[in-house]
Structures are given as C-alpha cells and as structure tokens.
Amino acid sequence: MKRKLIVLAVLLIAATIYFLLFHKNKTLKYIPENADAVILIDVKNLKRQYIASFATHPSQWFRGKGKKGNANFIQESGVEVPDFFQIFHIKNTSFLQWYCVFELTDKQKFSAYLKQQKFVRKGENIFQKDQLFLKIDGEKCIVGTSDLAFEKISHSISSGKNVFNADSFIDNSLGSISFISGQRIRNFSIDLNSDEIEIKNTPKTENFAPIISDLQQKMLFLDAELDAKNIRYFSAFFNVNLADSSQVTHFKATAELEQVKDTIITYGYDDNFNEIEKKTFQTITQPNYVIVLQSKDVEKTWQYFQNKKWVNAGNQFTAIPFQPNFVEKNKTGMEIKSTRKPVQLSSKLNENYIFVRNNPLLLSSFKTVTATEKKIVSSIDYIFYGNKGEDYYIILKGKKEELPLILRW
C-alpha cells in the first residue's frame, strides 16, 4: 500500500511539474492581421531557466523579496500570465511603436494597480505613464508604446479572424523575433545564455567571431559598415527608402564619446528693467564621428539630401541631431564629420556589421532612467549586429559577473 501511495505521489508531482513548466497553450489569439513583426517569449521556458539558475546559485536563496517588485505587474495586478508573451508591430507605423494584449482576471485589482503606479487617465479607458499606454478593452488590456493603433488592434482581435500557432514562430528557444510578409514568416530565435542574449537565424555564429574579436580590440564606441541591402533594411525601420532613393551603396561610420561643457544663454531684466544676459554651463556627452557614404550617383545623392532638407546652406548634415558637423562631396560619395574633435575612420573590413561598446559616459548622459534601468545598461559590455549572406546574428554581451543575466535583471 505504501509503495502504491509513493508511486501515486510521484506521478502527481510529475504531472504538476509538467503542467506548470512544460505544458503550453500554443494558440496565439492576440496578433492582429496587419502585424508585420512579432516577438514571442516562451514564459514557461523562461521559468525553467530561472529555476535552474536560481538552484545553482545558493547566494540568491536567502536574498529576500526586495528584487521581486518588477514582477508585480504580472503577479499581483489582476493580469493573467500567458504561456507566450505576444508583442507585435503594426505595418506602416513607427519602428518605436510596439504593442501586446493581456487578459484581465480581476479588473478591480488592475484598476487599483494603475492608480498605485500613478497612471494618468488620458481618455475613455485609456491610461498613460511616461511612454507606456494602456487601454482596458472589456476583459482585455492593450499595452503599447503609443496609443495610435489601439482602435485598429481592438477591432482586429475582437473579430477573431487571425489566429496563429506558436509553432509558426518559435522552435524550442526562449523567444523569437519574426517578420511577416504576406504568407511568408521569417523567424529569428532568441536565446538567453549566462552572460549574453543572442538573436539569430543560423547556428553558424562562429563565422562572426573573428569580426567581433577584431572590433573589440579597436576600443571604439561605435564602428559600423553596411552594404546597400543592409542600408535598405535599417532605413526601412524609420520609413525611409534611403538605399534606393539616394543611390547610396555603402555606409561606414566611426564614433567616440566625449564630455563637453555647453553654454546656455538666457536673457532677463534687472531691478531697473535693463535687459541682462545670463550664462550657465552644463556638462553634456556628445559623440565625435565620421561617416562615409558611397554612391552610384553622387549628384543624385546630394540632390536627394538637399530635397529632404538634410543639408543646409552651411553644408551641415541636419539629419544627425549631434551638431555641429560638416558634409562634403567627393568623387565616390559624401563624408560627414563632426567639427569639434577629429576622428579617424576605422579600417574597412568589407563586412556588414554594427558594433556599439558600452561607455561610462553613455550612462552619465541618461537623466530620466530608473535605478533598475541604469543597472541593466551598466551591465552590458557591447552590442553586435552582423550579416553574412542570408545569415543574421545579433548579440547583446553582458559583462562577466558572478550571476547570470537572468538573476541580475
């Protein structure tokens, strides 16, 4: 009898573990039909990875509950935890506009949470806090970095026409980023390792190791090189048809950071109503940079930039917010240089990559980020994007520390 009870208990425990950590509802009901990009996060895979990391780091066993506050939105706010977080981008909208939909289990508790977190009512059932927008839509909540597409999203998900299966986007990885074009879906896996996050569509990531090694030795803040295809991809994120319209065929850039003193001049009046000039000084972080654009037709490129009002009468390239700079034509294209301090263009690798190294000056320039966000940024070593043929690879490399990323953040 005892043996049967033990077997029954083991089976019950195994079944519980399976349903809590492995069994998934793969039906994706909240991706609109006009979505062109989708990010999926496998919540149960994330839970398993967290438990495994937590179990192998005893220093975290008795750390207390203070670090769990960031999970309150899901755990204590009346929102149902899905098996897959479904984050999406709507076609023909800004690259910065992303949305997701949650089901509400307790609207009263959720309303109390919004009040506690100081969300401000912006309209009927619409709330805002900083750059985060929420809309309560019946038993659902639409969350976004903008509220511009809320109505379209609400109509689309209520129709129930577009229902996907998670297997169309993700294959045993922690997450995925997918790009939808008609019936075609192009998937990139997301993997969270001990000290890095990888996004890729190929297992052959070792092909990018020599490039990364070379870039690490240069100690630059930014080093980038892109061909026409990659220029087209990145400019499309900002709804700019740069490669085709401007005839630009190659992009090369190098940048370093520097702290400079900025003078602010204001005017006021003294006690006798005489106008007086007041000067104040502040220290800001600015990049010193050089950008070289190669073109199939230099005159067409120059005319395109002038029509866009990116080149002013003083030959400054105004599309870059960091001024002053100077742009000039040459036989092969254009060169844009910041004028404060000369920067030498790094050597050409004839590869497609963007490499951004973390810099203490970068963190000091952030004025509105929270302590948690600063901690995340400070733990990053570098970000690399690379492309070889049809292979794409992005790595966010964390600094070497005792704890893995999943326990740091």
Side-chain angles (χ1 to χ4, degrees):
M1 177 64 84
K2 287 184 179 180
R3 186 175 182 180
K4 288 182 179 180
L5 289 174
I6 292 173
V7 171
L8 180 61
V10 170
L11 289 174
L12 287 173
I13 293 172
T16 301
I17 292 174
Y18 171 76
F19 279 102
L20 287 176
L21 298 177
F22 292 90
H23 181 266
K24 304 166 194 172
N25 179 359
K26 296 186 176 184
T27 301
L28 307 178
K29 300 183 292 184
Y30 300 129
I31 300 175
E33 56 189 353
N34 57 344
D36 61 0
V38 174
I39 300 175
L40 281 192
I41 302 297
D42 185 334
V43 175
K44 291 189 175 179
N45 190 326
L46 183 63
K47 285 180 180 178
R48 295 198 303 270
Q49 194 164 338
Y50 179 86
I51 291 171
S53 297
F54 186 78
T56 55
H57 290 83
S59 63
Q60 299 299 291
W61 294 355
F62 307 104
R63 62 179 179 170
K65 299 181 179 180
K67 295 181 69 173
K68 295 184 180 180
N70 293 332
N72 284 348
F73 177 80
I74 299 298
Q75 296 176 345
E76 300 175 4
S77 63
V79 174
E80 181 177 340
V81 180
D83 289 339
F84 293 93
F85 286 129
Q86 305 163 45
I87 305 164
F88 52 86
H89 178 266
I90 301 295
K91 188 184 300 182
N92 298 324
T93 63
S94 166
F95 175 68
L96 300 176
Q97 294 180 23
W98 292 83
Y99 303 89
C100 61
V101 180
F102 293 100
E103 294 184 6
L104 300 178
T105 57
D106 190 325
K107 292 177 70 173
Q108 186 174 356
K109 186 183 290 187
F110 185 67
S111 296
Y113 175 81
L114 295 182
K115 186 175 181 180
Q116 176 192 344
Q117 294 298 315
K118 296 181 170 54
F119 276 83
V120 178
R121 182 181 291 274
K122 192 183 177 188
E124 186 176 358
N125 293 327
I126 296 179
F127 303 85
Q128 179 184 359
K129 181 182 180 183
D130 300 325
Q131 297 304 309
L132 186 64
F133 296 81
L134 305 173
K135 179 181 180 181
I136 299 176
D137 186 17
E139 300 302 317
K140 304 177 187 66
C141 174
I142 305 173
V143 183
T145 57
S146 169
D147 62 349
L148 296 178
F150 277 176
E151 289 301 322
K152 291 181 179 179
I153 295 170
S154 179
H155 177 73
S156 179
I157 62 177
S158 62
S159 68
K161 292 180 180 178
N162 229 35
V163 178
F164 290 95
N165 187 284
D167 290 336
S168 299
F169 300 98
I170 194 170
D171 184 20
N172 296 320
S173 60
L174 176 68
S176 67
I177 299 178
S178 304
F179 299 93
I180 305 172
S181 178
Q183 298 299 313
R184 185 188 180 195
I185 301 176
R186 192 170 192 183
N187 298 324
F188 297 78
S189 65
I190 301 174
D191 295 296
L192 174 60
N193 304 319
S194 177
D195 61 354
E196 64 192 24
I197 298 174
E198 292 183 307
I199 303 173
K200 58 184 184 291
N201 70 339
T202 174
K204 297 179 291 185
T205 57
E206 67 276 1
N207 293 341
F208 297 96
I211 307 173
I212 296 174
S213 177
D214 185 51
L215 293 169
Q216 283 184 289
Q217 295 174 23
K218 293 182 180 180
M219 301 303 293
L220 295 168
F221 168 66
L222 170 69
D223 197 350
E225 186 175 341
L226 300 173
D227 63 10
K229 180 183 73 171
N230 281 271
I231 294 171
R232 188 180 303 112
Y233 289 160
F234 278 95
S235 60
F237 286 153
F238 302 98
N239 293 324
V240 178
N241 192 12
L242 184 60
D244 295 334
S245 302
S246 68
Q247 309 294 310
V248 174
T249 59
H250 190 268
F251 170 92
K252 184 82 176 78
T254 300
E256 296 177 346
L257 293 182
E258 180 187 20
Q259 272 194 339
V260 297
K261 288 187 176 180
D262 186 36
T263 304
I264 302 174
I265 299 176
T266 58
Y267 295 90
Y269 297 91
D270 61 16
D271 294 339
N272 297 319
F273 296 100
N274 297 313
E275 187 178 63
I276 57 173
E277 181 182 279
K278 296 180 180 180
K279 290 185 179 180
T280 56
F281 302 92
Q282 64 176 355
T283 301
I284 61 174
T285 299
Q286 288 274 30
N288 300 309
Y289 53 87
V290 56
I291 301 170
V292 173
L293 304 174
Q294 292 182 5
S295 170
K296 291 186 293 186
D297 190 323
V298 177
E299 291 303 322
K300 279 189 176 180
T301 301
W302 186 260
Q303 189 63 48
Y304 175 81
F305 287 165
Q306 286 186 322
N307 291 341
K308 287 284 188 179
K309 302 189 184 304
W310 291 349
V311 178
N312 63 18
N315 281 355
Q316 289 186 323
F317 194 71
T318 59
I320 298 176
F322 304 105
Q323 303 290 332
N325 63 36
F326 182 76
V327 55
E328 61 181 349
K329 293 185 291 183
N330 53 43
K331 292 182 180 180
T332 60
M334 297 165 51
E335 185 172 90
I336 306 161
K337 290 183 176 181
S338 57
T339 58
R340 186 175 46 256
K341 184 178 179 181
V343 173
Q344 184 176 356
L345 190 69
S346 63
S347 57
K348 193 174 180 180
L349 300 181
N350 292 315
E351 300 282 359
N352 286 294
Y353 66 87
I354 298 174
F355 184 86
V356 181
R357 182 191 303 276
N358 202 353
N359 187 308
L361 295 180
L362 183 67
L363 189 61
S364 67
S365 65
F366 296 155
K367 304 300 182 183
T368 59
V369 296
T370 65
T372 300
E373 290 167 340
K374 282 188 176 182
K375 184 177 180 181
I376 291 174
V377 172
S378 64
S379 70
I380 297 172
D381 188 8
Y382 64 80
I383 300 173
F384 169 83
Y385 161 85
N387 163 236
K388 284 178 175 287
E390 294 302 313
D391 295 340
Y392 295 85
Y393 181 54
I394 298 174
I395 179 170
L396 188 155
K397 187 73 173 180
K399 296 175 182 177
K400 291 286 185 183
E401 294 185 19
E402 179 184 351
L403 296 177
L405 288 179
I406 198 169
L407 294 182
R408 291 184 222 170
W409 297 354

